[in-house]
Amino acid sequence: MTAIAACWHSNGRPGAAAALARMQAALKPYGPDDQRHWHDDDVALGRNLYQRLPEDRHDRQPLISGCGRYALVADVRLDNRDEIAAALGEPASSADTRCDAAWLLAAWERWGEGAFDRLFGDFALILWDRHERRLLLVRDPMGRRPLFFHRAGALVAAATMPKGLHALADVPRAPSRDAAAEYLLLMPAAERATMWEGVERVPPGAVVTVTTDRVAVRHWWQPRRPEPDGTPGDYAEGLRHHLDQAVAARLRGAGDLVATHLSSGFDSSSVTATAARLMAAQGGRVSAFTSVPAAGYPPINNPDAIIDEGPLAAATAALYPNVEHVLLRTGHVSPVETLDRDFFLYDLPVLNRCNMTWYTASLDGARQRGANVLLTGEVGNMSLSYNGNEYLVELLLAGRWGRLARTAWALKQRGTLRWRGIAARLARPFFPPALEKRLRGDRSSVIGDPLYHSALRREIFEREAFRERAAARGHDVDYRPWRNGWDMRRWVLGRVDMGAYAKGFLAGWGVDVRDPTSDRRLVEFCLSVPMGEYVRDGQFRSLARRALADRLPAELLNARGKGVQAIDWHVGAGAARAAIAGEVARLAEDPLAAELIDLPRLNALLAVWPETGWDNVAQTDAYRLALLRGVSTGHFLRRARGGNG
């Protein structure tokens, strides 16, 4: 992994190299092993290396093309190096002596922008074209490597993290009011917007071209819609193939030990199991981390929740002798004790502070054991284990009455749904929000209130037409069911940009967090599978159940309910009540935080901290979502103010 940066004075003003040096110094936590740069009059490119791949020892970036026209820096793990070498007519042996960025530059020289569709892996790059006098900024479709830029007047700067841009005195260091308000509402970010004023992001799967007079964005990734029906066996075998390929690619550089997350769900379980199978062939080991509540934590009144994922996770681990199963009990940990550290590492507010406690505990465990790679399954619900919930409505809207009747009957016969549940799934997407929530028995909060989970002030929400603003980006603040599964998955996959978090984990722990379920080849395969494959034989998640039967225990594949991670988070939060109250008090002194955040609501929640009732969803949402996310966002607003030196 690498931190990259560029500075261009488009009016020809000198000093780009000196400016780049300041940027690289700020980015050093994300690349401490080696620092190099290149400059040519008014433009300079640099990279800070964090060695995590075997071929990184050959990394001499920035790289200059043979013709001298192009200069490149790239943050890249290329998963199809051999394929690219073969397509370029290079001998396979040369792959061992060239870093991934060198293959990327060779692909660019051969195919230009057409190269990006040939590249598989996680990458972000900056390319300077001396002839055209332009900067190209590119990211992979899943956005696992971040890239930000600033353009004002004659200054163009790009960097892996915002702090690299803030090293320049000409880049303002201030939070973005609009982005902060949308973050509080959990809206997806506007295409190039960030939490920082004057700092833009390169969207995942896009090429941003910056010239002296404009910024142009082209989205180069366009996944296919579902293919015609095929045989069930073909798709199950295809899913296994793509999962094996995705995990194998992310084991590169891990050595003989890899860490994983392991829950009671399909995604992390299949990643852990697949890693164990692949590692066993070379005598390698897996340390699998599972978040569980404190011993004796009482059951909750929700039959659909698995509050202790330990037993099902242990059943998976028991299938593989080379898996060490580690239980993480972090309910007692304060969710706000690392606010300052997190601000430095991620350059954005942490969205889910409760989950961050066990997530960082797994990073601690990985580092202590000597693992430098941790595998997750963060987007598997949209790829590997998509459930097919929207299939019934799709059949209804398509007028496929026979297929709808057969599918509904199979779901009823299998006991997956009753007739009432089938009718509800067909009707709910068309009902008004309040009626839809009553129909599904929503216990989350006041029915019809879009701010139940948010600390955004109600008058701001209403005055600035956030409902309409959200709808323009495909976001329904009432969270009604979707009518099309493909559209839903595409939207969710682009909703959260995880790149900055991955960089923060690397800087803070030296651990490269990789998600096989975000592998582009796996995602494209899953998006192309006909919807009927996900709801076959009277079961939702049918494709994953069939494909994973060779590596996961039957009790996990047949389990009902959804795992709840960090169920006892409120214990640590309650113990930190005074610290949380102190942070809320400081927010009142910040003009922007006081303007956007409903501080009276947060203070009211603090004043009556419940001793019991944490199985009540409405109570949990108020404290876990509105209070802690309000504090997280407010802390960011408070710390983001000030000069950038």
Side-chain angles (χ1 to χ4, degrees):
M1 295 187 75
T2 305
I4 57 177
C7 181
W8 174 30
H9 296 155
S10 62
N11 59 358
R13 177 167 59 93
L20 178 74
R22 293 193 294 273
M23 299 172 70
Q24 287 189 271
L27 293 171
K28 188 173 182 179
Y30 307 98
D33 293 335
D34 185 51
Q35 180 175 303
R36 296 171 185 261
H37 72 276
W38 167 91
H39 67 92
D40 181 15
D41 298 328
D42 55 356
V43 64
L45 276 65
R47 77 97 175 91
N48 292 5
L49 180 65
Y50 211 133
Q51 293 190 22
R52 282 294 173 263
L53 299 173
E55 296 79 11
D56 283 346
R57 65 185 183 275
H58 303 299
D59 193 314
R60 301 293 184 269
Q61 296 185 70
L63 302 176
I64 310 301
S65 64
C67 62
R69 175 176 176 177
Y70 304 110
L72 171 85
V73 286
D75 175 16
V76 54
R77 189 199 68 251
L78 188 60
D79 294 340
N80 62 329
R81 290 163 51 93
D82 292 342
E83 292 177 15
I84 295 298
L88 291 170
E90 297 280 353
S93 58
S94 65
D96 296 333
T97 59
R98 300 175 70 175
C99 69
D100 287 9
W103 289 111
L104 197 156
L105 179 58
W108 167 266
E109 290 185 274
R110 174 70 62 87
W111 300 298
E113 290 193 21
F116 304 135
D117 196 50
R118 294 172 175 261
L119 304 174
F120 295 100
D122 300 340
F123 61 86
L125 66 92
I126 304 172
L127 185 137
W128 170 246
D129 184 340
R130 297 178 67 182
H131 292 184
E132 298 289 339
R133 301 281 296 170
R134 60 176 183 161
L135 273 177
L136 271 70
L137 314 174
V138 188
R139 291 178 73 194
D140 72 84
M142 297 299 109
R144 298 296 297 185
R145 305 291 171 96
L147 188 58
F148 301 88
F149 69 99
H150 168 83
R151 181 180 181 274
L155 173 64
V156 179
T160 289
M161 294 291 280
K163 62 171 52 69
L165 301 175
H166 291 144
L168 304 179
D170 292 336
V171 179
R173 188 178 187 275
S176 166
R177 179 192 181 279
D178 283 350
E182 294 172 357
Y183 198 84
L184 286 166
L185 195 59
L186 298 186
M187 278 178 57
E191 182 173 68
R192 285 153 44 190
T194 73
M195 294 293 291
W196 297 93
E197 196 69 40
V199 173
E200 300 182 78
R201 68 168 182 156
V202 177
V207 179
V208 174
T209 303
V210 186
T211 61
T212 55
D213 58 353
R214 71 188 185 103
V215 175
V217 180
R218 182 180 73 85
H219 291 269
W220 58 268
W221 184 60
Q222 299 296 333
R224 296 172 298 164
R225 287 184 176 272
E227 298 174 344
D229 289 346
T231 63
D234 292 339
Y235 291 109
E237 180 59 34
L239 184 58
R240 283 190 291 271
H241 164 76
H242 284 90
L243 174 61
D244 290 343
Q245 178 178 250
V247 174
R250 282 153 186 81
L251 290 176
R252 181 171 156 224
D256 61 359
L257 174 65
V258 69
T260 69
H261 286 165
L262 176 59
S263 70
S264 64
F266 288 13
D267 304 316
S268 63
S269 299
S270 62
V271 168
T272 298
T274 304
R277 290 156 63 106
L278 295 172
M279 295 285 282
Q282 58 189 22
R285 298 168 294 121
V286 177
S287 291
F289 297 92
T290 302
S291 172
V292 296
Y297 189 82
I300 65 174
N301 184 28
N302 185 352
D304 296 326
I306 302 173
I307 67 168
D308 185 351
E309 299 189 270
L312 285 176
T316 298
L319 295 178
Y320 303 97
N322 61 334
V323 172
E324 174 201 16
H325 190 207
V326 184
L327 301 181
L328 302 175
R329 303 184 191 274
T330 59
H332 63 284
V333 178
S334 165
V336 298
E337 67 180 5
T338 61
L339 281 167
D340 288 333
R341 180 198 68 185
D342 296 344
F343 173 81
F344 173 77
L345 289 177
Y346 313 122
D347 278 349
L348 82 170
V350 170
L351 188 64
N352 193 328
R353 297 217 60 86
C354 302
N355 278 359
M356 189 58 81
T357 58
W358 68 260
Y359 204 114
T360 55
S362 68
L363 292 167
D364 288 336
R367 182 173 62 179
Q368 290 164 6
R369 288 163 172 77
N372 60 29
V373 171
L374 186 148
L375 303 181
T376 69
E378 291 156 356
V379 302
N381 285 343
M382 298 298 112
S383 59
L384 174 69
S385 66
Y386 170 60
N387 54 30
N389 276 342
E390 293 75 24
Y391 185 49
L392 294 177
V393 176
E394 287 188 22
L395 293 175
L396 176 68
L397 292 175
R400 299 177 65 184
W401 313 114
R403 176 63 68 88
L404 175 57
R406 291 192 296 273
T407 303
W409 176 252
L411 290 168
K412 170 64 172 60
Q413 288 295 100
R414 184 118 190 180
T416 302
L417 288 177
R418 298 179 179 178
W419 288 122
R420 180 178 177 181
I422 293 170
R425 287 188 181 234
L426 289 169
R428 278 165 40 196
F430 307 97
F431 285 173
L435 180 57
E436 187 275 320
K437 289 190 175 185
R438 289 187 186 279
L439 186 63
R440 63 180 160 100
D442 192 329
R443 305 180 300 154
S444 61
S445 181
V446 178
I447 290 178
D449 182 5
L451 297 181
Y452 77 92
H453 67 283
S454 174
L456 181 67
R457 287 177 57 207
R458 192 170 300 276
E459 49 267 46
I460 299 254
F461 174 83
E462 294 173 352
R463 184 177 71 237
E464 300 184 18
F466 270 91
R467 184 183 293 276
E468 292 75 17
R469 188 190 302 187
R473 281 186 218 153
H475 178 55
D476 178 7
V477 297
D478 295 306
Y479 294 93
R480 284 170 291 188
W482 286 71
R483 302 178 186 183
N484 181 282
W486 195 90
D487 290 342
M488 182 275 293
R489 286 188 285 166
R490 281 288 289 118
W491 183 83
V492 172
L493 286 169
R495 180 180 181 184
V496 179
D497 192 331
M498 294 294 295
Y501 286 117
K503 282 298 177 189
F505 298 147
L506 182 70
W509 288 267
V511 176
D512 188 359
V513 176
R514 305 173 181 175
D515 181 7
T517 66
S518 71
D519 183 275
R520 180 182 144 204
R521 292 166 292 190
L522 173 64
V523 170
E524 288 179 344
F525 171 80
C526 292
L527 288 175
S528 71
V529 170
M531 283 288 289
E533 292 298 319
Y534 294 102
V535 191
R536 183 179 286 276
D537 303 323
Q539 288 184 307
F540 293 107
R541 288 193 172 89
S542 173
L543 178 57
R545 295 178 198 276
R546 287 177 277 134
L548 301 176
D550 70 330
R551 62 195 67 186
L552 295 183
E555 58 263 43
L556 186 149
L557 291 172
N558 296 322
R560 292 183 178 269
K562 182 179 180 181
V564 181
Q565 295 165 327
I567 185 71
D568 55 348
W569 66 271
H570 58 88
V571 176
R577 182 177 171 187
I580 297 173
E583 187 60 41
V584 172
R586 285 187 286 275
L587 299 185
E589 302 170 5
D590 183 90
L592 186 53
E595 176 195 356
L596 295 179
I597 298 174
D598 190 347
L599 297 180
R601 182 186 181 194
L602 301 192
N603 281 314
L605 291 170
L606 286 165
V608 289
W609 195 279
E611 293 296 326
T612 59
W614 292 103
D615 59 344
N616 180 282
V617 180
Q619 175 177 299
T620 299
D621 285 350
Y623 285 86
R624 180 171 186 158
L625 306 183
L627 175 63
L628 289 183
R629 284 177 178 165
V631 167
S632 182
T633 306
H635 176 270
F636 173 86
L637 296 176
R638 188 169 61 81
R639 287 294 310 275
R641 290 191 176 280
N644 56 10

